[in-house]
Amino acid sequence: MSENNGRANIALAIIRQPGVNTVATAEGVVAVMKELEPQLPPSVETEIIFNRAESIRHSVDDVKFTLLLTIALVVMVIFLFLRNVRATIIPSLALPFSLIGTCTIMWVLGYSLNNLSLMALTLAVGFVVDDAIVMLENIVRHIEMGKKPLQAALDGSKEISFTILSMTLSLVAVFIPLLFMPGLVGRLFREFAVTIGVAILVSGFVSLTLTPMLAAKFLRADDAHAHTEGKWRSVERLYQSTENGYMRSLGWVMNHRGLTMVFSALMLVLTVGLFMYIPKGFLPSEDTGRLQGSVEGPEGIGFEAMAAKAREVAAIIQKDENVKFVLASIGGGPGGGGSNSARLQLTLQDSTDRPHVDQVMRDLTRATAKVPGVQVFFRNPPPINIGGRRGNSAYTVSLQGPDIAELYNSARALETRMRELPQLENISSDLQVGNPQVAIDIDRERASTLGISASQIENALYNAYGSRQVSTIYTQTNQFQVILELRPEYQADPAALSQLFIRSSTGSLVQLGSVARFSKGVGPQSIQHNGQLPAVSISFNTRPNVALGDAVAAVQAEARAVLPPDVTPVLSGDTQAFAQAQSGLLALLVVAIFVIYLVLGILYESFVHPLTILSGLPFAAVGALLTLLIFGKDLSVYAYVGIIMLIGLVKKNAIMMIDFAIEAERDHNMTPHDAIIEAARVRFRPITMTTLAALMGTLPIAIGYGAGAESRQPLGLAVVGGLAFSQLITLYVTPVVYTYLDELTLKLKNRKKRKAMQQSGAGMPVPAAGD
């Protein structure tokens, strides 16, 4: 039975083939339905209960707006620093070239423009201009030295090319582990990683080729920063004041390097502490404008009684001003459920006219709690469905064991303990063993004497209570199946069993009651299995402001305390995917750091310089985790990916400074201290520009505007918070770490040299008397 607003209906679900455009498919179905409407009888109406394509279209449109806003903010940052239209256009051209090149590669690979790929393009906007900014700023610096634009482009690009190559390859290396990540997270973010990785590679190529050519062609000698005049002069003075303040504060830090290293160690400890403390989540709750629900009645309730309860619940739901449609169905079918359960499909009003879906769900739970005799559960369907078995609530833990009696007793005990946990609500179980049953015990000797076999009895019962098709009626426009069964009044009375007649082999009719005994009892409505073992599933929701990680930990602790050794708890569905993601993402984080270290070690041919570059990672993690805590966000999969991206971003400051310092030591015989100080001064402008560009590129995602923003926002917050904190701190920490590691390298070289001399037999020169 299926009802919508009290009317009987047939629900049609449309599922697209893999690789087919979802929105186009939905639009085609709607068009076909409009063509079919005139051919339907007047009493039949068609309504679209839920169209997933609408939320997809709104989400994609909002991401497109975010992309355009990001481009505008990044170009604005470039203009404020360069204050010249020609100079601003040059790095800005890296945006369209990178996006066009990326979309071309996506088309070749068969990717589509979806939420994840568009989010990757939006994030890439803030990063693809970094290389072009660094290249252009270095060329402008050479123009300030008095060089012609062509010569400045040649010298500046030659000087900075290795820096850009290092930044590009090390940033792309961050996403390599994502490509090989197994499970749901790997499938979810593989397209995201390829999209943003290709965008970064294309931008690096554009910065090394197109940007120097455009600078040589269009820049003039008066495009230097020192020639800024008029209303923009105040902006340059502000920058110079900031740079002077930074250099003075850096001098103080370099004179107190020990305190800086203590501060760095505290940040590392704080990173570990925050990671252990922050609530862990899986996929953020997303408002797609729909809810799923279930109505659980007492075991053994009749169909008509259950239908009346379902209508009563549906009427209460329909009165809610936030609900647009409610569809109720009873019994078996898609989604499971027995005769004592009903399923609800709710379509909500537009998100601009109602509260968030989680608030609507809590209001409906309170409103339907007053219906006597049934329990009503609601769940916000996740953006990605995981697992085939659906519970009444969002998350599920399954128990399995070989002994059914022990399994059922353990499941009841665990369910009782879970109801006492303050982190959980809406707890339900599929353990239903009190279903009324009638057992039929055949007197085989008497039945055989009368010429009746057990198979004849089974066929008679199936004819009476089953769904045996005995004929088909064909008309000009349709065909109808003829189903054999007893009249409804006999189906509802167990006493009618004894009055069934069975034709024996002799042709006479024998009453079933004369060859069988009937006994009433109770038993399980169904026996669930996980693999080959009997299983019981217990589903639950988390209370508001409770992270999934805390809830799962509490359930696992209760399971360890209650369950015997033969009963095993198994996380399933979203809960299982969450547990796998937590361990997989942590491993991915470690692998990403290791891959970057290898790439940097190969590029610099050094074991030490990569450590200097990676020294800012704890500050990025602290900034990201603190930002998530401040805004009340869990460490979800999206936030994890944001932190992984930070690994590739925060090292740009160190790469720019270290490249310059190494060259200054090698070509100008400067001491490590003086070289890194000069590197910090020269690279302060491109560092500031690239940091602000990356922040502006991520800020619209962190604000969380539009459909589907709940999923994107944790990633944006993690990147913005980590960048803002780490890029500031690494301006001071990187020079300190560079000098310490340089001193350590020098000591190791001297020790190795002395050891080699001692092994060769050449002693150290003995000082003469009086020396």
Side-chain angles (χ1 to χ4, degrees):
M1 192 278 291
S2 181
E3 290 194 357
N4 177 27
N5 299 340
R7 295 174 293 176
N9 71 89
I10 299 175
L12 178 64
I14 307 297
I15 303 175
R16 69 176 178 88
Q17 293 293 332
V20 179
N21 189 311
T22 304
V23 177
T25 301
E27 291 175 348
V29 171
V30 173
V32 170
M33 292 299 297
K34 289 182 178 179
E35 294 177 0
L36 293 176
E37 281 181 359
Q39 305 176 30
L40 298 176
S43 60
V44 176
E45 298 179 7
T46 61
E47 274 183 313
I48 299 177
I49 301 298
F50 178 73
N51 186 358
R52 179 70 169 133
E54 291 294 330
S55 61
I56 294 175
R57 185 186 295 108
H58 292 160
S59 181
V60 170
D61 289 342
D62 288 327
V63 175
K64 289 179 181 177
F65 171 77
T66 303
L67 179 62
L68 295 176
L69 177 62
T70 301
I71 293 174
L73 291 174
V74 170
V75 173
M76 180 191 69
V77 169
I78 298 173
F79 180 78
L80 286 177
F81 274 89
L82 301 180
R83 298 176 296 279
N84 183 285
V85 176
R86 292 189 308 277
T88 302
I89 291 176
I90 292 173
S92 300
L93 285 176
L95 284 172
F97 278 96
S98 299
L99 294 179
I100 292 173
T102 304
C103 291
T104 302
I105 300 299
M106 290 174 61
W107 177 75
V108 172
L109 296 175
Y111 292 169
S112 63
L113 284 179
N114 50 53
N115 284 340
L116 283 175
S117 59
L118 281 172
M119 183 171 64
L121 292 176
T122 304
L123 289 168
V125 167
F127 310 144
V128 297
V129 296
D130 285 4
D131 298 339
I133 288 173
V134 173
M135 175 65 75
L136 181 67
E137 197 281 332
N138 203 56
I139 293 173
V140 171
R141 187 173 66 87
H142 280 267
I143 291 178
E144 290 179 339
M145 298 177 185
K147 299 179 182 179
K148 299 285 187 180
L150 178 58
Q151 190 62 40
L154 292 173
D155 295 344
S157 59
K158 181 180 179 182
E159 181 183 60
I160 205 69
S161 294
F162 182 77
T163 302
I164 292 177
L165 182 65
S166 300
M167 292 192 301
T168 300
L169 294 181
S170 58
L171 182 54
V172 172
V174 173
F175 301 101
I176 293 177
L178 270 177
L179 300 178
F180 302 98
M181 185 70 180
L184 172 71
V185 177
R187 294 193 299 271
L188 189 63
F189 286 98
R190 188 169 295 126
E191 189 169 329
F192 171 87
V194 171
T195 301
I196 198 169
V198 169
I200 293 168
L201 287 174
V202 174
S203 72
F205 177 77
V206 170
S207 302
L208 292 172
T209 55
L210 181 65
T211 303
M213 183 272 290
L214 294 176
K217 185 69 176 177
F218 295 105
L219 287 183
R220 296 201 297 260
D222 58 354
D223 286 334
H225 303 301
H227 295 159
T228 302
E229 297 178 356
K231 58 183 178 180
W232 299 114
R233 185 63 184 171
S234 58
V235 178
E236 181 63 22
R237 284 198 297 267
L238 176 62
Y239 167 77
Q240 292 296 337
S241 300
T242 305
E243 181 182 307
N244 293 334
Y246 165 63
M247 294 307 298
R248 288 193 298 269
S249 58
L250 179 60
W252 184 90
V253 170
M254 295 300 289
N255 292 330
H256 300 81
R257 294 187 303 165
L259 291 177
T260 305
M261 296 305 294
V262 171
F263 175 74
S264 301
L266 291 177
M267 288 296 102
L268 182 60
V269 174
L270 182 60
T271 300
V272 177
L274 286 174
F275 182 81
M276 300 297 293
Y277 173 75
I278 190 170
K280 311 297 191 303
F282 183 46
L283 294 176
S285 176
E286 189 171 324
D287 191 343
T288 59
R290 63 184 181 129
L291 279 174
Q292 295 176 351
S294 59
V295 183
E296 291 289 335
E299 297 177 65
I301 187 174
F303 179 85
E304 294 298 333
M306 190 65 213
K309 292 295 182 181
R311 292 190 187 98
E312 186 177 355
V313 172
I316 295 175
I317 295 174
Q318 191 62 54
K319 292 179 182 178
D320 193 294
E321 60 182 5
N322 299 314
V323 178
K324 189 175 182 180
F325 295 109
V326 56
L327 180 69
S329 57
I330 298 177
S339 59
N340 68 324
S341 65
R343 296 179 303 282
L344 304 171
Q345 298 289 340
L346 282 66
T347 302
L348 306 182
Q349 303 288 354
D350 292 338
S351 58
T352 55
D353 302 329
R354 59 169 173 80
H356 191 270
V357 63
D358 291 339
Q359 182 61 45
V360 175
M361 182 170 62
R362 288 190 287 270
D363 294 341
L364 291 175
T365 300
R366 287 192 294 267
T368 55
K370 58 187 178 183
V371 179
V374 295
Q375 288 182 292
V376 185
F377 303 91
F378 294 97
R379 65 190 293 265
N380 180 15
I384 301 173
N385 286 319
I386 303 168
R389 185 178 299 172
R390 297 283 179 267
N392 291 327
S393 301
Y395 309 107
T396 304
V397 57
S398 296
L399 308 182
Q400 60 186 34
D403 188 334
I404 292 182
E406 185 180 44
L407 173 66
Y408 288 172
N409 292 332
S410 301
R412 290 193 188 94
L414 180 60
E415 183 180 356
T416 302
R417 295 285 290 267
M418 289 174 62
R419 293 184 184 279
E420 299 173 357
L421 293 176
Q423 299 94 336
L424 309 182
E425 63 181 5
N426 295 338
I427 300 167
S428 68
S429 169
D430 63 1
L431 177 60
Q432 298 185 7
V433 294
N435 192 57
Q437 294 181 346
V438 176
I440 302 176
D441 185 16
I442 302 174
D443 188 343
R444 295 181 179 270
E445 291 185 4
R446 180 171 176 77
S448 178
T449 303
L450 296 175
I452 297 174
S453 64
S455 61
Q456 287 179 295
I457 297 175
E458 291 174 358
N459 287 328
L461 291 173
Y462 184 67
N463 292 335
Y465 301 101
S467 56
R468 186 182 299 281
Q469 180 182 351
V470 295
S471 179
T472 302
I473 301 175
Y474 296 94
T475 66
Q476 293 180 348
T477 59
N478 209 336
Q479 62 185 34
F480 303 92
Q481 296 178 347
V482 178
I483 306 298
L484 179 66
E485 63 178 11
L486 288 179
R487 294 176 61 88
E489 58 266 26
Y490 294 115
Q491 292 185 25
D493 186 7
L497 280 168
S498 62
Q499 302 177 24
L500 286 176
F501 285 89
I502 305 168
R503 188 172 297 276
S504 68
S505 58
T506 61
S508 61
L509 294 176
V510 178
Q511 199 170 22
L512 179 60
S514 63
V515 293
R517 293 183 297 274
F518 307 98
S519 59
K520 297 180 180 179
V522 294
Q525 183 166 276
S526 62
I527 300 178
Q528 305 291 342
H529 285 78
N530 278 349
Q532 300 297 320
L533 294 176
V536 175
S537 295
I538 304 175
S539 59
F540 61 92
N541 284 337
T542 58
R543 292 189 181 275
N545 302 320
V546 174
L548 177 58
D550 297 337
V552 171
V555 171
Q556 290 176 330
E558 293 295 335
R560 287 191 295 268
V562 172
L563 300 181
D566 291 341
V567 178
T568 305
V570 179
L571 301 178
S572 59
D574 289 354
T575 321
Q576 181 185 23
F578 162 76
Q580 292 175 346
Q582 289 298 312
S583 58
L585 287 171
L586 183 59
L588 179 64
L589 194 64
V590 176
V591 172
I593 296 173
F594 180 70
V595 170
I596 291 182
Y597 178 83
L598 289 180
V599 172
L600 292 174
I602 293 171
L603 290 172
Y604 287 96
E605 298 181 352
S606 170
F607 294 102
V608 176
H609 292 314
L611 295 177
T612 307
I613 295 172
L614 296 176
S615 62
L617 295 185
F619 307 104
V622 168
L625 296 176
L626 281 177
T627 304
L628 292 173
L629 283 174
I630 291 172
F631 286 89
K633 301 295 182 181
D634 299 339
L635 185 59
S636 62
V637 172
Y638 287 92
Y640 246 122
V641 174
I643 294 176
I644 292 172
M645 289 185 61
L646 279 174
I647 296 174
L649 294 174
V650 298
K651 58 183 179 35
K652 286 192 171 185
N653 288 6
I655 288 177
M656 283 189 274
M657 285 192 287
I658 289 173
D659 278 355
F660 189 94
I662 293 174
E663 184 179 353
E665 286 188 57
R666 182 179 63 245
D667 299 340
H668 303 287
N669 295 322
M670 297 178 67
T671 63
H673 180 277
D674 295 339
I676 196 65
I677 292 292
E678 181 65 13
R681 185 189 66 80
V682 172
R683 298 301 188 210
F684 182 72
R685 186 186 294 270
I687 286 174
T688 307
M689 291 177 66
T690 55
T691 299
L692 288 178
L695 286 175
M696 291 299 104
T698 317
L699 189 60
I701 297 177
I703 293 174
Y705 166 79
E710 302 94 332
S711 297
R712 302 188 297 267
Q713 191 177 23
L715 190 151
L717 288 172
V719 174
V720 168
L723 272 179
F725 185 74
S726 64
Q727 299 294 65
L728 174 64
I729 301 300
T730 52
L731 286 172
Y732 298 97
V733 174
T734 299
V736 173
V737 175
Y738 180 84
T739 54
Y740 267 125
L741 290 180
D742 193 272
E743 292 172 2
L744 177 62
T745 304
L746 182 61
K747 289 180 180 179
L748 293 177
K749 286 182 178 179
N750 290 336
R751 181 181 301 175
K752 186 177 181 181
K753 185 177 180 180
R754 287 195 299 268
K755 186 176 180 180
M757 294 178 65
Q758 292 173 358
Q759 291 177 351
S760 63
M764 296 296 292
V766 180
D771 286 352

